[in-house]
Amino acid sequence: MSFARSARGNAQVVALSGEIDMGRAPAVRQAVLEAIKTKAPVVVVEMSAVTYMDSSGIATLVEGLQNAKKQGTDFVLAGPAGNVLGVLKLARLDKVFRILPDLAACDELGR
């Protein structure tokens, strides 16, 4: 698992790749919370390169969403696919999170 944080327009982007499991979720949590602390109007978690996510990864994203909402920041998942999207749909979290097909679809957010 790896991640990178960057700015893209008005958004803070946390790009994740690889597997997000119990051992890696704390690093993802830290990156997401740091992005939220910037007070950018939008935080995007780019997930197109995430190949696996367990319940600890889901909990990390839910915590990020809750923290973002507390300060009025939009929290968006970009590009989850395959098994990762399947897990989100199975848990009905596709109804909770704003999910966009890719990072380019996020460019107009926060303007």
Side-chain angles (χ1 to χ4, degrees), residues 22-63:
M22 185 186 297
R24 297 173 177 106
V28 173
R29 177 184 182 273
Q30 182 177 353
V32 168
L33 294 179
E34 286 176 6
I36 292 167
K37 287 179 186 175
T38 68
K39 300 193 185 284
V42 181
V43 170
V44 178
V45 180
E46 205 288 318
M47 303 182 69
S48 63
V50 175
T51 57
Y52 171 82
M53 183 172 61
D54 69 8
S55 61
S56 60
I58 291 172
T60 297
L61 295 177
V62 169
E63 181 182 1

Short mmCIF file of all heavy atoms in Angstrom, two decimals, residues 22-63:
data_model
loop_
_atom_site.label_atom_id
_atom_site.label_comp_id
_atom_site.label_asym_id
_atom_site.label_seq_id
_atom_site.Cartn_x
_atom_site.Cartn_y
_atom_site.Cartn_z
N MET A 22 -5.90 -4.03 8.00
CA MET A 22 -5.71 -3.61 9.38
C MET A 22 -4.31 -3.04 9.63
O MET A 22 -4.15 -2.05 10.35
CB MET A 22 -5.96 -4.79 10.34
CG MET A 22 -5.88 -4.36 11.79
SD MET A 22 -6.00 -5.73 12.97
CE MET A 22 -7.62 -6.35 12.61
N GLY A 23 -3.32 -3.60 9.01
CA GLY A 23 -1.95 -3.13 9.22
C GLY A 23 -1.65 -1.81 8.53
O GLY A 23 -0.78 -1.05 8.97
N ARG A 24 -2.38 -1.51 7.46
CA ARG A 24 -2.10 -0.31 6.68
C ARG A 24 -3.10 0.81 6.91
O ARG A 24 -2.84 1.96 6.57
CB ARG A 24 -2.08 -0.68 5.20
CG ARG A 24 -0.95 -1.65 4.89
CD ARG A 24 -1.04 -2.15 3.47
NE ARG A 24 0.09 -3.01 3.16
CZ ARG A 24 0.01 -4.33 3.05
NH1 ARG A 24 -1.13 -4.94 3.25
NH2 ARG A 24 1.08 -5.04 2.76
N ALA A 25 -4.24 0.50 7.50
CA ALA A 25 -5.30 1.50 7.71
C ALA A 25 -4.85 2.69 8.56
O ALA A 25 -5.25 3.82 8.28
CB ALA A 25 -6.54 0.84 8.31
N PRO A 26 -4.01 2.50 9.60
CA PRO A 26 -3.60 3.68 10.38
C PRO A 26 -2.86 4.73 9.55
O PRO A 26 -3.07 5.94 9.76
CB PRO A 26 -2.69 3.08 11.47
CG PRO A 26 -3.19 1.69 11.65
CD PRO A 26 -3.57 1.25 10.26
N ALA A 27 -2.03 4.32 8.61
CA ALA A 27 -1.33 5.29 7.76
C ALA A 27 -2.32 6.00 6.83
O ALA A 27 -2.21 7.21 6.60
CB ALA A 27 -0.26 4.59 6.93
N VAL A 28 -3.31 5.27 6.32
CA VAL A 28 -4.35 5.88 5.49
C VAL A 28 -5.15 6.86 6.32
O VAL A 28 -5.43 7.99 5.88
CB VAL A 28 -5.26 4.80 4.87
CG1 VAL A 28 -6.45 5.44 4.15
CG2 VAL A 28 -4.47 3.91 3.92
N ARG A 29 -5.50 6.47 7.53
CA ARG A 29 -6.25 7.35 8.42
C ARG A 29 -5.51 8.66 8.64
O ARG A 29 -6.10 9.75 8.54
CB ARG A 29 -6.48 6.65 9.77
CG ARG A 29 -7.20 7.49 10.79
CD ARG A 29 -7.30 6.74 12.14
NE ARG A 29 -8.02 7.53 13.10
CZ ARG A 29 -7.48 8.45 13.90
NH1 ARG A 29 -6.17 8.69 13.83
NH2 ARG A 29 -8.22 9.13 14.74
N GLN A 30 -4.24 8.58 8.93
CA GLN A 30 -3.43 9.78 9.17
C GLN A 30 -3.42 10.68 7.94
O GLN A 30 -3.59 11.89 8.04
CB GLN A 30 -2.01 9.41 9.57
CG GLN A 30 -1.15 10.62 9.87
CD GLN A 30 0.24 10.24 10.33
OE1 GLN A 30 0.55 9.07 10.56
NE2 GLN A 30 1.09 11.22 10.48
N ALA A 31 -3.23 10.11 6.77
CA ALA A 31 -3.19 10.90 5.54
C ALA A 31 -4.53 11.58 5.27
O ALA A 31 -4.58 12.75 4.90
CB ALA A 31 -2.80 10.01 4.36
N VAL A 32 -5.62 10.85 5.48
CA VAL A 32 -6.95 11.42 5.25
C VAL A 32 -7.24 12.54 6.25
O VAL A 32 -7.70 13.61 5.87
CB VAL A 32 -8.03 10.31 5.32
CG1 VAL A 32 -9.43 10.89 5.39
CG2 VAL A 32 -7.90 9.37 4.12
N LEU A 33 -6.95 12.30 7.53
CA LEU A 33 -7.21 13.33 8.53
C LEU A 33 -6.34 14.57 8.32
O LEU A 33 -6.81 15.70 8.52
CB LEU A 33 -7.03 12.77 9.94
CG LEU A 33 -8.05 11.69 10.35
CD1 LEU A 33 -7.76 11.18 11.76
CD2 LEU A 33 -9.48 12.19 10.23
N GLU A 34 -5.10 14.39 7.89
CA GLU A 34 -4.25 15.54 7.58
C GLU A 34 -4.81 16.34 6.40
O GLU A 34 -4.76 17.57 6.41
CB GLU A 34 -2.82 15.08 7.30
CG GLU A 34 -2.07 14.67 8.54
CD GLU A 34 -0.68 14.12 8.26
OE1 GLU A 34 -0.23 14.15 7.09
OE2 GLU A 34 -0.04 13.67 9.22
N ALA A 35 -5.33 15.66 5.40
CA ALA A 35 -5.94 16.35 4.27
C ALA A 35 -7.16 17.16 4.73
O ALA A 35 -7.36 18.30 4.29
CB ALA A 35 -6.34 15.35 3.18
N ILE A 36 -7.95 16.60 5.62
CA ILE A 36 -9.13 17.30 6.13
C ILE A 36 -8.71 18.53 6.94
O ILE A 36 -9.33 19.59 6.84
CB ILE A 36 -10.01 16.35 6.97
CG1 ILE A 36 -10.63 15.28 6.06
CG2 ILE A 36 -11.09 17.11 7.72
CD1 ILE A 36 -11.25 14.11 6.79
N LYS A 37 -7.64 18.41 7.70
CA LYS A 37 -7.17 19.52 8.54
C LYS A 37 -6.72 20.73 7.73
O LYS A 37 -6.64 21.83 8.27
CB LYS A 37 -6.03 19.06 9.44
CG LYS A 37 -6.48 18.18 10.58
CD LYS A 37 -5.30 17.72 11.42
CE LYS A 37 -5.74 16.72 12.46
NZ LYS A 37 -4.60 16.19 13.21
N THR A 38 -6.46 20.57 6.44
CA THR A 38 -6.06 21.71 5.61
C THR A 38 -7.22 22.67 5.39
O THR A 38 -7.00 23.78 4.91
CB THR A 38 -5.54 21.26 4.24
OG1 THR A 38 -6.61 20.71 3.47
CG2 THR A 38 -4.38 20.29 4.36
N LYS A 39 -8.42 22.22 5.71
CA LYS A 39 -9.65 23.00 5.53
C LYS A 39 -9.94 23.32 4.07
O LYS A 39 -10.61 24.31 3.75
CB LYS A 39 -9.63 24.26 6.39
CG LYS A 39 -9.52 23.96 7.87
CD LYS A 39 -9.83 25.15 8.72
CE LYS A 39 -9.58 24.87 10.18
NZ LYS A 39 -10.55 24.09 10.84
N ALA A 40 -9.43 22.51 3.18
CA ALA A 40 -9.80 22.62 1.77
C ALA A 40 -11.30 22.35 1.65
O ALA A 40 -11.85 21.59 2.45
CB ALA A 40 -9.02 21.60 0.93
N PRO A 41 -11.98 22.94 0.68
CA PRO A 41 -13.42 22.71 0.56
C PRO A 41 -13.79 21.28 0.18
O PRO A 41 -14.89 20.83 0.45
CB PRO A 41 -13.88 23.70 -0.51
CG PRO A 41 -12.65 24.18 -1.19
CD PRO A 41 -11.49 23.93 -0.27
N VAL A 42 -12.83 20.56 -0.42
CA VAL A 42 -13.08 19.19 -0.87
C VAL A 42 -11.87 18.32 -0.56
O VAL A 42 -10.74 18.74 -0.78
CB VAL A 42 -13.34 19.13 -2.40
CG1 VAL A 42 -13.64 17.71 -2.84
CG2 VAL A 42 -14.46 20.06 -2.81
N VAL A 43 -12.13 17.12 -0.05
CA VAL A 43 -11.10 16.10 0.09
C VAL A 43 -11.52 14.92 -0.78
O VAL A 43 -12.64 14.42 -0.66
CB VAL A 43 -10.91 15.65 1.56
CG1 VAL A 43 -10.00 14.43 1.65
CG2 VAL A 43 -10.35 16.79 2.39
N VAL A 44 -10.63 14.54 -1.68
CA VAL A 44 -10.88 13.43 -2.59
C VAL A 44 -9.94 12.29 -2.23
O VAL A 44 -8.73 12.49 -2.15
CB VAL A 44 -10.64 13.84 -4.06
CG1 VAL A 44 -10.87 12.66 -4.99
CG2 VAL A 44 -11.52 15.01 -4.45
N VAL A 45 -10.51 11.11 -2.03
CA VAL A 45 -9.71 9.91 -1.83
C VAL A 45 -9.73 9.16 -3.15
O VAL A 45 -10.77 8.63 -3.56
CB VAL A 45 -10.24 9.04 -0.67
CG1 VAL A 45 -9.37 7.79 -0.50
CG2 VAL A 45 -10.28 9.84 0.63
N GLU A 46 -8.60 9.18 -3.85
CA GLU A 46 -8.49 8.56 -5.17
C GLU A 46 -8.14 7.08 -4.97
O GLU A 46 -7.12 6.75 -4.38
CB GLU A 46 -7.40 9.28 -5.97
CG GLU A 46 -7.58 9.17 -7.47
CD GLU A 46 -7.27 7.79 -8.01
OE1 GLU A 46 -6.27 7.18 -7.57
OE2 GLU A 46 -8.01 7.32 -8.87
N MET A 47 -9.03 6.20 -5.44
CA MET A 47 -8.93 4.78 -5.10
C MET A 47 -8.80 3.85 -6.31
O MET A 47 -8.93 2.64 -6.16
CB MET A 47 -10.17 4.38 -4.29
CG MET A 47 -10.36 5.20 -3.02
SD MET A 47 -11.78 4.66 -2.07
CE MET A 47 -11.22 3.05 -1.50
N SER A 48 -8.52 4.38 -7.48
CA SER A 48 -8.52 3.53 -8.67
C SER A 48 -7.44 2.44 -8.62
O SER A 48 -7.58 1.40 -9.28
CB SER A 48 -8.35 4.38 -9.93
OG SER A 48 -7.10 5.04 -9.92
N ALA A 49 -6.39 2.66 -7.84
CA ALA A 49 -5.31 1.67 -7.76
C ALA A 49 -5.38 0.82 -6.49
O ALA A 49 -4.46 0.06 -6.21
CB ALA A 49 -3.95 2.37 -7.84
N VAL A 50 -6.48 0.93 -5.74
CA VAL A 50 -6.66 0.10 -4.54
C VAL A 50 -7.19 -1.26 -5.00
O VAL A 50 -8.20 -1.35 -5.69
CB VAL A 50 -7.62 0.76 -3.52
CG1 VAL A 50 -7.89 -0.17 -2.35
CG2 VAL A 50 -7.04 2.08 -3.04
N THR A 51 -6.50 -2.31 -4.60
CA THR A 51 -6.86 -3.66 -5.06
C THR A 51 -7.63 -4.46 -4.02
O THR A 51 -8.27 -5.46 -4.35
CB THR A 51 -5.59 -4.45 -5.43
OG1 THR A 51 -4.70 -4.47 -4.30
CG2 THR A 51 -4.89 -3.79 -6.61
N TYR A 52 -7.58 -4.04 -2.75
CA TYR A 52 -8.24 -4.77 -1.68
C TYR A 52 -8.49 -3.82 -0.53
O TYR A 52 -7.64 -2.95 -0.24
CB TYR A 52 -7.36 -5.94 -1.20
CG TYR A 52 -7.88 -6.62 0.04
CD1 TYR A 52 -8.87 -7.58 -0.04
CD2 TYR A 52 -7.36 -6.30 1.30
CE1 TYR A 52 -9.35 -8.21 1.11
CE2 TYR A 52 -7.83 -6.92 2.45
CZ TYR A 52 -8.83 -7.88 2.34
OH TYR A 52 -9.30 -8.48 3.47
N MET A 53 -9.65 -3.96 0.13
CA MET A 53 -9.92 -3.17 1.31
C MET A 53 -10.77 -3.99 2.26
O MET A 53 -11.81 -4.53 1.86
CB MET A 53 -10.65 -1.87 0.93
CG MET A 53 -10.92 -0.96 2.10
SD MET A 53 -11.57 0.65 1.60
CE MET A 53 -13.09 0.18 0.79
N ASP A 54 -10.34 -4.09 3.52
CA ASP A 54 -11.12 -4.82 4.51
C ASP A 54 -11.91 -3.83 5.37
O ASP A 54 -11.97 -2.64 5.08
CB ASP A 54 -10.23 -5.75 5.34
CG ASP A 54 -9.27 -5.03 6.27
OD1 ASP A 54 -9.35 -3.80 6.44
OD2 ASP A 54 -8.41 -5.72 6.87
N SER A 55 -12.52 -4.34 6.43
CA SER A 55 -13.39 -3.51 7.26
C SER A 55 -12.64 -2.37 7.94
O SER A 55 -13.22 -1.31 8.20
CB SER A 55 -14.11 -4.36 8.31
OG SER A 55 -13.16 -4.99 9.17
N SER A 56 -11.36 -2.53 8.21
CA SER A 56 -10.60 -1.44 8.82
C SER A 56 -10.42 -0.29 7.83
O SER A 56 -10.43 0.88 8.20
CB SER A 56 -9.25 -1.92 9.35
OG SER A 56 -8.47 -2.46 8.31
N GLY A 57 -10.29 -0.61 6.56
CA GLY A 57 -10.23 0.42 5.53
C GLY A 57 -11.55 1.15 5.40
O GLY A 57 -11.59 2.38 5.27
N ILE A 58 -12.64 0.40 5.46
CA ILE A 58 -13.97 1.02 5.42
C ILE A 58 -14.16 1.94 6.62
O ILE A 58 -14.62 3.07 6.48
CB ILE A 58 -15.07 -0.06 5.38
CG1 ILE A 58 -15.03 -0.78 4.03
CG2 ILE A 58 -16.44 0.55 5.63
CD1 ILE A 58 -15.93 -1.98 3.94
N ALA A 59 -13.77 1.47 7.80
CA ALA A 59 -13.90 2.30 9.01
C ALA A 59 -13.10 3.58 8.89
O ALA A 59 -13.54 4.66 9.32
CB ALA A 59 -13.47 1.50 10.24
N THR A 60 -11.93 3.51 8.28
CA THR A 60 -11.09 4.69 8.07
C THR A 60 -11.80 5.69 7.18
O THR A 60 -11.80 6.90 7.46
CB THR A 60 -9.75 4.27 7.47
OG1 THR A 60 -9.07 3.43 8.40
CG2 THR A 60 -8.88 5.47 7.14
N LEU A 61 -12.42 5.22 6.11
CA LEU A 61 -13.13 6.12 5.21
C LEU A 61 -14.36 6.73 5.89
O LEU A 61 -14.64 7.92 5.71
CB LEU A 61 -13.55 5.38 3.93
CG LEU A 61 -12.40 4.90 3.05
CD1 LEU A 61 -12.95 4.11 1.87
CD2 LEU A 61 -11.53 6.06 2.58
N VAL A 62 -15.07 5.94 6.67
CA VAL A 62 -16.24 6.46 7.39
C VAL A 62 -15.81 7.54 8.39
O VAL A 62 -16.45 8.60 8.49
CB VAL A 62 -17.02 5.32 8.09
CG1 VAL A 62 -18.07 5.87 9.04
CG2 VAL A 62 -17.66 4.41 7.06
N GLU A 63 -14.72 7.30 9.10
CA GLU A 63 -14.20 8.30 10.03
C GLU A 63 -13.82 9.58 9.28
O GLU A 63 -14.10 10.70 9.73
CB GLU A 63 -13.00 7.77 10.79
CG GLU A 63 -12.44 8.78 11.78
CD GLU A 63 -11.22 8.29 12.53
OE1 GLU A 63 -10.75 7.16 12.28
OE2 GLU A 63 -10.71 9.06 13.36
#
